Amino acid sequence: MLSALEQYDPQIYELIRQEMARQNGSIRMIPSENYVSQAVMLATGSWLTNKYSEGYPGKRYYEGQQVTDLIESVALERAKKIFKADHANVQPYSGSVANLGAYNALINPGDTIMGLELSSGGHLTHGSKSSITSKIFNAVNYSVNPETGMLDFNVIEEMAKKHKPQIIISGTTAYPRKIEFDKFEQIAKSVGAYHVSDIAHISGLVVAGLHQSPVPYADIVSTTTHKTLRGPRGGMLLCKAEHAAKVDKAIFPGQQGGPHMHTITAIAVALAEADTLEFIEYAKQIIKNASRLAEKLMEYGFKLVSNGTDNHLILIDLRNKGIVGKKFAKALDRARIVSNFNTVPGDDASPFNPNGLRIGTPAITTRGMKEEQMDKIAEFMNRIAENIDKESVIEQVNREVLLLCSEFPVPAHFTMPGSKKIRPISEGTL
Ligand code: DSN
């Protein structure tokens, strides 16, 4: 496929080649990014990109769905199996649309939603001021405890009693600790609210059984498919049977038109990959790596929100280092260490120039890096922080990072774990 692209559009081919080289030659630590398997990539770039399929399997508004119905059904069965859910919807284009779909399925415009504040690690779509979710709905936000950086269920309960939201949102986008979804459920029940859980970041860890699953406790669970779950960029909703029809209607025709069948095809592949012992080992290593990296960074005097991590991400509060997040992120990027600047709890600075840095281990773990490499990465990061204005030091780290990357090449051909389990779509079903 790439050689066809080289022939027909050399300009874009060259840019894709450069992006491959960038991904290969850098330590990618944006916690929401990963590397997908060749199988997922092939499915994403397959013939399914050519097909319109408004509706759901068995009830479409366009003809020619002999294969798409089967593919989407396989994806749905796999999603329900690995998340142990009554119902799944694999059509949301991504996490933001999935979240909006969850709210629209359960409540009406003007009703109240209560989610985690952006600077505490919540997502824009959890009711942030700048998101449409706070314009359609009345949004109130809870914060983490400023001292501990942790969720405080006493505060969440008090706020729930005060504001009587129709939906309480659990789940985060920049929170390094385990989340007790059962406690959210108890609070939601006590005030008559629905419970929507957004596990976009940790869904791979949930599938691997390493973090509590919100599926038994939430009315609707939302996730992206491309973070720790290691699939293509997409979204997904899981819910109890009683909400199935409302969820499907909210996504189509409520918010979306034609589903992206090529993405759904690749999601099906990724879900089979996640249903393997190899994936559980991968997820365990993600956490081991993050935990080791956190420990080493703290030894170098970095202050971490909540003093550590239980998951795949680390949030560094840079205020004690006297460096702002963006300056650090840009210096790291020049040294081929890719992160994102981020607000930290209690951060008064703007989200475009905040005091924190967010890093994570899903992608570097896919490359096969382990604890020993985490020690090196912590040392690289410390060297950059201590020499933030010295380009010669940044260049030296850049060379060392390139060497490390060459020892852990991107697994472009990593064989699809559990491939034997995947039943070809043509077998007895067409
Ligand atoms: N932008 C995603 C992240 O990086 O966490 C969330 O949508």
Side-chain angles (χ1 to χ4, degrees):
M1 278 196 244
L2 273 178
S3 63
L5 190 60
E6 183 176 19
Q7 192 180 341
Y8 292 115
D9 192 338
Q11 190 180 8
I12 289 296
Y13 169 82
E14 172 55 21
L15 292 173
I16 291 177
R17 206 195 53 73
Q18 284 179 25
E19 176 60 11
M20 279 166 64
R22 187 196 68 80
Q23 290 189 17
N24 218 336
S26 56
I27 294 176
R28 296 172 60 230
M29 291 210 292
I30 294 173
S32 42
E33 291 186 348
N34 212 327
Y35 297 99
V36 296
S37 71
Q38 196 179 41
V40 167
M41 208 170 294
L42 281 172
T44 311
S46 70
W47 283 62
L48 273 300
T49 200
N50 299 335
K51 187 64 196 131
Y52 253 113
S53 306
E54 265 97 333
Y56 291 101
K59 192 179 175 218
R60 304 278 191 189
Y61 293 79
Y62 290 68
E63 297 311 313
Q65 310 295 345
Q66 293 85 347
V67 177
T68 46
D69 272 7
L70 295 172
I71 289 178
E72 189 166 346
S73 299
V74 170
L76 292 171
E77 286 312 311
R78 289 179 182 176
K80 286 192 286 182
K81 180 178 176 225
I82 67 169
F83 285 101
K84 301 184 180 66
D86 294 343
H87 180 75
N89 184 308
V90 288
Q91 294 198 1
Y93 299 141
S94 202
S96 300
V97 200
N99 285 348
L100 198 57
Y103 311 153
N104 281 327
L106 297 172
I107 61 170
N108 296 308
D111 285 348
T112 301
I113 60 171
M114 187 178 120
L116 183 60
E117 193 183 48
L118 196 67
S119 67
S120 279
H123 190 250
L124 285 165
T125 54
H126 297 172
S128 143
K129 274 203 297 290
S130 44
S131 158
I132 192 148
T133 51
S134 68
K135 298 184 174 66
I136 299 176
F137 304 107
N138 171 42
V140 290
N141 288 138
Y142 54 90
S143 313
V144 292
N145 180 312
E147 303 296 316
T148 62
M150 310 270 231
L151 291 168
D152 182 335
F153 285 96
N154 292 328
V155 171
I156 296 168
E157 187 170 15
E158 261 173 43
M159 280 192 68
K161 284 190 174 142
K162 183 171 165 206
H163 296 283
K164 301 209 168 8
Q166 275 71 41
I167 286 179
I168 294 181
I169 305 156
S170 63
T172 64
T173 203
Y175 182 71
R177 292 298 182 176
K178 282 192 169 161
I179 302 171
E180 292 159 301
F181 296 109
D182 53 337
K183 288 197 177 164
F184 272 101
E185 178 61 355
Q186 280 164 18
I187 295 173
K189 270 216 177 102
S190 74
V191 296
Y194 289 114
H195 175 197
V196 169
S197 185
D198 176 354
I199 55 164
H201 269 264
I202 57 164
S203 53
L205 309 180
V206 167
V207 162
L210 305 174
H211 276 223
Q212 188 184 50
S213 168
V215 171
Y217 305 110
D219 290 282
I220 302 181
V221 175
S222 162
T223 184
T224 51
T225 48
H226 48 268
K227 298 183 173 101
T228 49
L229 196 55
R230 205 163 60 177
R233 298 188 73 102
M236 190 190 297
L237 290 173
L238 305 149
C239 68
K240 299 190 189 308
E242 63 186 286
H243 300 308
K246 284 182 283 180
V247 161
D248 286 353
K249 216 167 139 194
I251 295 298
F252 174 84
Q255 287 177 201
Q256 294 187 176
H260 292 175
M261 286 311 305
H262 57 304
T263 303
I264 290 172
T265 309
I267 288 173
V269 175
L271 292 173
E273 291 178 358
D275 191 15
T276 58
L277 291 175
E278 291 88 337
F279 188 84
I280 295 176
E281 288 311 309
Y282 162 66
K284 282 184 182 162
Q285 193 62 45
I286 288 179
I287 294 177
K288 281 190 207 159
N289 283 351
S291 163
R292 177 66 159 258
L293 187 54
E295 200 182 300
K296 289 287 154 187
L297 287 170
M298 287 192 291
E299 281 175 23
Y300 284 117
F302 285 98
K303 191 173 173 315
L304 307 189
V305 172
S306 85
N307 288 323
T309 179
D310 296 326
N311 59 22
H312 63 303
L313 72 81
I314 295 166
L315 202 52
I316 307 176
D317 183 338
L318 290 163
R319 284 176 285 198
N320 70 329
K321 291 273 180 187
I323 313 169
V324 287
K326 195 189 286 187
K327 185 167 182 175
F328 193 31
K330 288 196 176 298
L332 288 169
D333 196 44
R334 292 201 295 284
R336 298 175 180 266
I337 297 173
V338 188
S339 63
N340 70 271
F341 52 85
N342 216 95
T343 47
V344 284
D347 198 343
D348 293 331
S350 112
F352 202 57
N353 198 22
N355 284 302
L357 189 90
R358 191 181 68 149
I359 53 175
T361 54
I364 52 179
T365 305
T366 294
R367 290 184 82 139
M369 293 187 189
K370 294 213 162 85
E371 286 89 332
E372 197 186 326
Q373 289 72 47
M374 299 308 115
D375 297 356
K376 277 193 179 172
I377 292 171
E379 192 280 318
F380 292 154
M381 290 181 70
N382 183 53
R383 216 184 316 157
I384 301 274
E386 288 190 342
N387 298 279
I388 193 86
D389 293 315
K390 283 198 193 131
E391 281 311 310
S392 58
V393 174
I394 293 173
E395 272 168 34
Q396 174 58 30
V397 176
N398 177 312
R399 284 191 287 275
E400 291 175 43
V401 169
L402 194 56
L403 189 64
L404 180 61
C405 289
S406 69
E407 291 163 15
F408 292 86
V410 175
H413 303 283
F414 78 81
T415 47
M416 188 164 56
S419 58
K420 283 193 289 299
K421 286 190 191 161
I422 299 173
R423 186 160 160 262
I425 197 78
S426 56
E427 248 181 45
T429 41
L430 248 190

